[in-house]
Amino acid sequence: MVETRLKPLKAGLIGAGIQASLTPAMHMREGSAQGFAYDYEMIDLNQRGLSPDSLPDLLNQAERHGLSGLNITHPCKQLVIPYLDELSDEARALGAVNTVVLKNGRRYGHNTDWWGFAESFRRGLPDADLEAAVQIGAGGAGVATAYAILSLGLKNLTVFDLDPKRATHLAQALSALFPEAAITASGDLAAAMEPASGLIHATPTGMAKYPGIPLAPELLSPRHWVAEIVYFPLETELLKTAKLRGCRVLNGGGMAVFQAVGAFSLFTGCAPDAHRMMRHFDNLTSGSRPSEDMQ
């Protein structure tokens, strides 16, 4: 009988409060299916009593221990950049990295968050009207989702955030990247929703720690599609309300899966089975497990 040896592979996730993340499970299950002995390490800053100041040491340790790459999540997606050798075009444009490939003594920063949202949207709302949309949230996740929807051809984007300066900064940065689109910041959510065909929600509202809905329900109408980034729970209060008001909806599960699909490909050089990873994600989320992390 011939013994089959699995190919060794090591990777990890750096972030704070990441114990509920499903990224490690998705990577290891897909790795096993593709013949890897996949060791995926959870590097939780909170549990280890560390701060983002430890990033240089953690990157050095990862290289010494032979990791192929690292996923990066809150609060390190911007802070990790100075310690990298090269950035992909998308990571440079977004100013955020969620995937670091460690290869031949060099560190390559990528961003698969934006592609994860774009791929989820393309598959989940294939016929969505991309004339005009509103995005609530201009933080790290909002940068990725806005970049994604504009890459898909959105013509008009209005950004709303509780911090008006942050919304303005994002609108200005995106306008330079997508000069063919009209991108503005607004403090009047009701007025912005009136002509819009869709809504992207890119804040933690709706998670167990942040219950609620990010806008007045009466601002939603059947003409709107609604795309969510929160995936615990998969059906947030926003999505429940939007469904009741006749909207087409997209939950945050696809973004979670496809950012992992992109990272897996970068770490391994192998094309993952996206459908298999989605099935595994569905199995993992069939319970009521809470999450503090969107990676």
Side-chain angles (χ1 to χ4, degrees):
M1 183 175 180
V2 178
E3 180 182 358
T4 301
R5 299 200 176 199
L6 298 179
K7 296 168 284 187
L9 180 68
K10 295 180 182 179
L13 170 64
I14 296 177
I18 57 175
Q19 292 306 302
S21 173
L22 300 184
T23 293
M26 285 192 285
H27 274 260
M28 289 189 290
R29 175 68 68 85
E30 181 61 19
S32 177
Q34 297 216 23
F36 289 100
Y38 201 154
D39 179 13
Y40 192 108
E41 183 180 4
M42 190 90 77
I43 306 169
D44 191 328
L45 300 181
N46 290 355
Q47 283 215 336
R48 300 190 182 196
L50 301 175
S51 75
D53 293 338
S54 302
L55 275 171
D57 289 338
L58 293 173
L59 288 166
N60 289 336
Q61 290 173 27
E63 288 175 323
R64 286 198 303 270
H65 295 161
L67 271 67
S68 296
L70 291 161
N71 284 126
I72 309 293
T73 191
H74 178 80
C76 302
K77 291 184 181 183
Q78 290 82 29
L79 298 175
V80 75
I81 290 177
Y83 309 113
L84 306 180
D85 296 302
E86 294 184 32
L87 295 178
S88 69
D89 292 342
E90 294 82 5
R92 184 177 297 106
L94 291 166
V97 164
N98 80 317
T99 302
V100 176
V101 175
L102 304 173
K103 187 175 182 180
N104 298 328
R106 294 183 66 79
R107 303 164 179 174
Y108 303 88
H110 300 265
N111 190 299
T112 66
D113 284 334
W114 81 270
W115 181 82
F117 182 82
E119 190 66 9
S120 175
F121 192 96
R122 188 182 67 80
R123 296 181 182 219
L125 292 172
D127 302 318
D129 183 351
L130 294 181
E131 181 63 34
V134 172
Q135 176 169 294
I136 300 176
V143 174
T145 54
Y147 186 94
I149 200 69
L150 289 162
S151 296
L152 290 174
L154 182 73
K155 297 177 182 177
N156 298 274
L157 177 66
T158 304
V159 182
F160 178 87
D161 195 275
L162 293 177
D163 181 348
K165 289 183 180 179
R166 189 160 68 169
T168 299
H169 176 75
L170 178 57
Q172 291 174 343
L174 291 170
S175 293
L177 296 171
F178 298 93
E180 71 283 2
I183 308 165
T184 58
S186 174
D188 189 339
L189 187 54
M193 286 296 294
E194 183 62 34
S197 50
L199 172 70
I200 299 168
H201 175 233
T203 84
T205 301
M207 295 171 65
K209 286 179 64 176
Y210 307 98
I213 184 169
L215 80 171
E218 57 267 23
L219 298 183
L220 296 170
S221 73
R223 75 174 183 280
H224 291 128
W225 50 259
V226 177
E228 174 72 273
I229 68 164
V230 173
Y231 66 84
F232 274 111
L234 271 178
E235 187 173 60
T236 60
E237 193 64 32
L238 171 62
L239 295 188
K240 289 178 184 176
T241 301
K243 280 184 181 179
L244 289 173
R245 297 187 69 83
C247 304
R248 297 172 63 196
V249 302
L250 179 70
N251 66 46
M255 181 179 181
V257 172
F258 286 109
Q259 65 79 21
V261 167
F264 185 95
S265 178
L266 288 167
F267 290 161
T268 65
C270 298
D273 186 326
H275 293 291
R276 182 166 56 207
M277 291 182 76
M278 182 64 80
R279 288 196 302 271
H280 185 214
F281 176 86
D282 290 341
N283 291 335
L284 291 168
T285 56
S286 59
S288 56
R289 181 181 178 189
S291 175
E292 298 179 5
D293 173 63
M294 292 191 189
Q295 180 66 40

